[in-house]
């Protein structure tokens, strides 16, 4: 259960340990003080959430409201949940009875999910970003949503500069903001990291729709210079059968393959917005990783990803919301699993969950021993595939109350659908009859302002 517990506690624990010190620093000098050689030292306090400073009646820092993180408390609380300990023990037993753990030389590739939610960042799931550590000194990002750099800091702590220095490429699947607005900060922080390590700053390879270029150009013109940090490879140029006539693009594609030790980096158009792509990476050692981006079930993705070692596929909505999934051009859980099965993928990791499933998505009957659920800060290697599905039972026990609440909502939605169908059957012909029962039921559902905000995905 280390993976499950780590995702809930590692962020806050790391933040606590990095924010308890107070160090002196020198303040900027005025020209006069510089000539005199004077330096003024002032106390510096690291900011923390809910830290307060009182001016009256006595000047002092107030730390009584600070958020503290004690991992032992999380463990004790979890152990009190009915059936959780039994599920963990059973998980450990089945893991011990299973295949031997992967050898150390199978550590790479290492997949780290930095953002597994959709639409907007939330406290449990950030928006889309997945780090692929190809080796100890080479990595790439699959999408780069808002807050990606912050997630890297939370995951790696003081080692974040080293990780940024290994970043060779970024794949941007499409131009929705939850998939690319973190790119600018990654470019700037990568430059800073390389400078701090005394290394030259070479441009970052960015595989993306060509429509990303005007956005970068506008930021470059209006805010600060960033274009010298980027070498763009149009995603359409990596589609199967595409002839590349631009020598510079050909050079960049060769550089991408050589830098990342890849035999192939292929893209295909997927069924989402205009200019939305999925990708497949084939490593020189033989493994194949496929990333769907945002999409409805897509036959082009199935064909591109045949016999993949790992498929990372979006599962924005639960089963039963197929019509809503079509409206928003996303996939349900069973649809995502079905794509992986048709692809003959060795393993399927589901991500990009609607924020209505922030803690855990509803489990589909199609879940099997080739399917896992991604959480923010979850780290998976190929050798972990046999273990990940065994976490399903402990997860169901750990989040039993949340699952029960979601199932109650699903039952109420089903009742509304029945009611809407009965009402439509009673009415005579008219324009309203063309409206589906699902749409009518959703229109009748009372919503809070917050639910309206997050329902966009």
């Amino acid at each position: 259960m280390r993976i499950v517990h780590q995702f809930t506690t590692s962020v806050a624990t790391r933040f606590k340990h990095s924010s308890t010190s107070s160090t002196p620093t020198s303040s900027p000098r005025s020209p006069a003080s510089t000539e005199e050689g004077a330096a003024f030292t002032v106390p510096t306090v690291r900011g923390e959430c809910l830290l307060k400073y009182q001016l009256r009646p006595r000047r002092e820092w107030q730390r009584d409201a600070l958020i503290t993180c004690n991992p032992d408390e999380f463990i004790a609380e979890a152990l009190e949940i009915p059936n959780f300990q039994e599920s963990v023990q059973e998980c450990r037993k089945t893991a011990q009875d299973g295949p031997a753990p992967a050898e150390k030389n199978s550590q790479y590739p290492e997949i780290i999910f930095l953002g597994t939610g959709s639409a907007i960042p939330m406290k449990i799931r950030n928006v889309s970003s997945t780090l692929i550590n190809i080796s100890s000194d080479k990595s790439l990002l699959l999408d780069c949503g808002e807050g990606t750099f912050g997630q890297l800091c939370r995951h790696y702590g003081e080692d974040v500069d080293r990780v940024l220095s290994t970043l060779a490429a970024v794949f941007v699947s499409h131009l929705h903001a939850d998939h690319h607005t973190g790119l600018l900060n990654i470019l700037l922080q990568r430059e800073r990291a390389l400078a701090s390590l005394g290394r030259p700053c070479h441009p970052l390879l960015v595989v993306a729709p060509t429509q990303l270029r005007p956005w970068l150009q506008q930021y470059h013109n209006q805010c600060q210079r960033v274009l010298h940090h980027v070498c763009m490879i149009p995603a359409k140029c990596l589609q199967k059968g595409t002839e590349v006539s631009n020598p510079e693009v050909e050079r960049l594609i060769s550089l991408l393959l050589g830098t990342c030790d890849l035999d192939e980096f292929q893209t295909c158009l997927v069924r989402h917005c205009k200019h939305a792509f999925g990708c497949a990476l084939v490593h020189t050692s033989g493994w194949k990783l496929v990333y769907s981006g945002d999409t409805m079930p897509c036959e082009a993705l199935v064909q591109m990803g045949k016999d993949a070692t790992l498929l990372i596929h979006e599962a924005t909505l639960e089963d039963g919301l197929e019509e809503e999934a079509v409206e928003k051009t996303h996939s349900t859980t069973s649809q995502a699993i079905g794509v992986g099965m048709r692809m003959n993928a060795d393993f399927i990791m589901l991500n990009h969950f609607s924020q209505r499933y922030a803690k855990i998505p509803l489990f589909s009957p199609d879940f099997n021993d080739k399917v896992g659920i991604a959480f923010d800060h979850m780290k998976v290697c190929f050798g972990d595939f046999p273990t990940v599905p065994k976490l399903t039972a402990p997860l169901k026990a750990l989040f039993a109350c949340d699952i029960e609440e979601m199932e109650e909502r699903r039952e109420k939605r089903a009742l509304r659908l029945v009611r809407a169908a009965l009402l439509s059957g009673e009415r005579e012909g008219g324009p309203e009859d063309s409206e589906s029962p699902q749409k009518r039921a959703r229109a009748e559902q009372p919503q809070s302002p917050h639910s309206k905000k997050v329902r966009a995905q």
Side-chain angles (χ1 to χ4, degrees):
M1 282 306 298
R2 187 184 66 208
I3 296 176
V4 178
H5 174 66
Q6 181 182 358
F7 107 90
T8 59
T9 62
S10 63
V11 174
T13 303
R14 194 174 291 113
F15 178 79
K16 177 187 175 186
H17 289 314
S18 67
S19 60
T20 55
S21 62
S22 175
T23 57
T25 186
S26 296
S27 62
R29 305 181 198 177
S30 67
S33 63
T34 302
E35 292 175 3
E36 297 171 2
F40 297 96
T41 301
V42 295
T44 301
V45 177
R46 186 187 297 269
E48 299 179 68
C49 290
L50 302 182
L51 176 64
K52 299 177 183 178
Y53 186 72
Q54 176 181 278
L55 293 173
R56 293 179 181 177
R58 187 174 64 182
R59 295 184 181 182
E60 63 180 4
W61 290 103
Q62 295 183 343
R63 301 177 180 272
D64 54 304
L66 290 182
I67 298 173
T68 59
C69 177
N70 183 353
D72 294 335
E73 292 181 3
F74 286 104
I75 296 172
E77 181 181 346
L79 293 177
E80 293 176 0
I81 297 174
N83 302 322
F84 179 67
Q85 289 195 62
E86 294 83 353
S87 298
V88 172
Q89 291 170 359
E90 181 64 24
C91 177
R92 285 174 176 168
K93 183 176 182 301
T94 54
Q96 290 171 356
D97 295 342
E103 298 180 3
K104 186 149 184 143
N105 59 10
S106 302
Q107 177 183 355
Y108 297 102
E110 184 180 72
I111 298 93
I112 298 174
F113 294 95
L114 300 173
T116 57
S118 67
I120 56 175
M122 299 287 275
K123 66 179 181 180
I124 296 177
R125 294 186 187 272
N126 197 50
V127 289
S128 295
S129 184
T130 304
L131 180 69
I132 310 298
N133 287 322
I134 299 172
S135 65
S136 60
D137 60 353
K138 286 290 180 292
S139 64
L140 60 84
L141 278 170
L142 301 177
D143 277 326
C144 192
E146 173 188 351
T148 294
F149 173 68
Q151 292 291 83
L152 284 170
C153 290
R154 295 178 189 99
H155 191 88
Y156 285 103
E158 295 180 355
D159 202 31
V160 67
D161 284 359
R162 181 197 63 80
V163 175
L164 286 172
S165 71
T166 70
L167 188 61
V170 175
F171 171 72
V172 176
S173 61
H174 62 289
L175 296 188
H176 284 164
D178 58 323
H179 290 258
H180 76 83
T181 49
L183 177 60
L184 290 168
N185 202 27
I186 287 293
L187 294 174
L188 298 171
Q189 295 295 340
R190 177 174 172 269
E191 178 190 30
R192 178 199 53 76
L194 288 168
S196 70
L197 296 172
R199 300 182 187 177
C201 185
H202 49 277
L204 183 65
L205 297 169
V206 176
V207 180
T210 54
Q211 291 72 21
L212 183 69
R213 180 80 185 196
W215 179 74
L216 291 173
Q217 184 72 58
Q218 184 174 13
Y219 186 89
H220 179 89
N221 294 340
Q222 304 296 330
C223 301
Q224 63 189 120
R225 294 169 55 83
V226 293
L227 289 180
H228 61 289
H229 294 315
V230 179
C231 283
M232 284 275 297
I233 302 175
K236 64 182 180 181
C237 293
L238 293 170
Q239 292 178 265
K240 186 175 182 180
T242 300
E243 293 186 7
V244 181
S245 57
N246 187 323
E248 177 62 14
V249 174
E250 283 187 341
R251 184 188 71 82
L252 292 177
I253 292 174
S254 298
L255 179 63
L256 171 67
L257 298 177
T259 302
C260 298
D261 296 326
L262 298 177
D263 279 337
E264 187 177 0
F265 192 123
Q266 186 178 338
T267 63
C268 72
L269 287 168
V270 294
R271 301 172 63 200
H272 189 54
C273 62
K274 198 173 183 180
H275 310 299
F277 292 86
C279 71
L281 319 178
V282 180
H283 193 257
T284 53
S285 63
W287 56 260
K288 182 176 184 178
L289 187 150
V290 179
Y291 175 61
S292 71
D294 285 8
T295 183
M296 295 189 289
C298 178
E299 187 60 30
L301 186 73
V302 172
Q303 296 304 317
M304 181 179 71
K306 280 292 183 184
D307 302 319
T309 311
L310 172 65
L311 166 65
I312 301 173
H313 200 288
E314 70 120 290
T316 308
L317 296 166
E318 66 189 83
D319 289 358
L321 295 180
E322 287 78 11
E323 186 171 327
E324 185 176 341
V326 171
E327 290 175 4
K328 297 177 178 177
T329 58
H330 285 300
S331 298
T332 65
T333 303
S334 288
Q335 288 174 343
I337 295 172
V339 169
M341 293 303 175
R342 301 207 313 275
M343 189 183 290
N344 194 33
D346 291 345
F347 202 77
I348 307 161
M349 287 297 297
L350 304 179
N351 76 341
H352 194 269
F353 301 107
S354 167
Q355 296 293 8
R356 69 185 80 175
Y357 319 113
K359 290 185 180 178
I360 195 167
L362 275 172
F363 289 88
S364 160
D366 292 334
F367 266 72
N368 54 53
D369 59 2
K370 296 175 66 175
V371 182
I373 296 172
F375 294 94
D376 282 22
H377 300 289
M378 184 178 184
K379 180 175 71 175
V380 177
C381 301
F382 291 169
D384 297 322
F385 290 168
T387 304
V388 174
K390 295 180 174 64
L391 298 173
T392 299
L395 284 170
K396 286 182 175 180
L398 185 62
F399 297 106
C401 293
D402 301 279
I403 293 173
E404 182 180 359
E405 183 180 339
M406 289 188 291
E407 288 176 342
E408 287 177 359
R409 290 202 299 266
R410 181 167 59 184
E411 291 173 2
K412 290 179 181 178
R413 183 175 65 247
L415 290 174
R416 288 195 300 272
L417 286 172
V418 172
R419 179 173 175 270
L422 290 174
L423 288 173
S424 64
E426 294 173 359
R427 293 173 181 168
E428 295 181 356
E432 291 184 353
D433 290 341
S434 61
E435 186 180 28
S436 72
Q438 276 195 359
K439 287 184 179 179
R440 190 176 295 112
R442 287 204 301 275
E444 295 173 356
Q445 179 181 2
Q447 294 182 6
S448 66
H450 175 71
S451 66
K452 289 179 182 177
K453 180 180 179 182
V454 300
R455 191 176 174 275
Q457 288 282 345

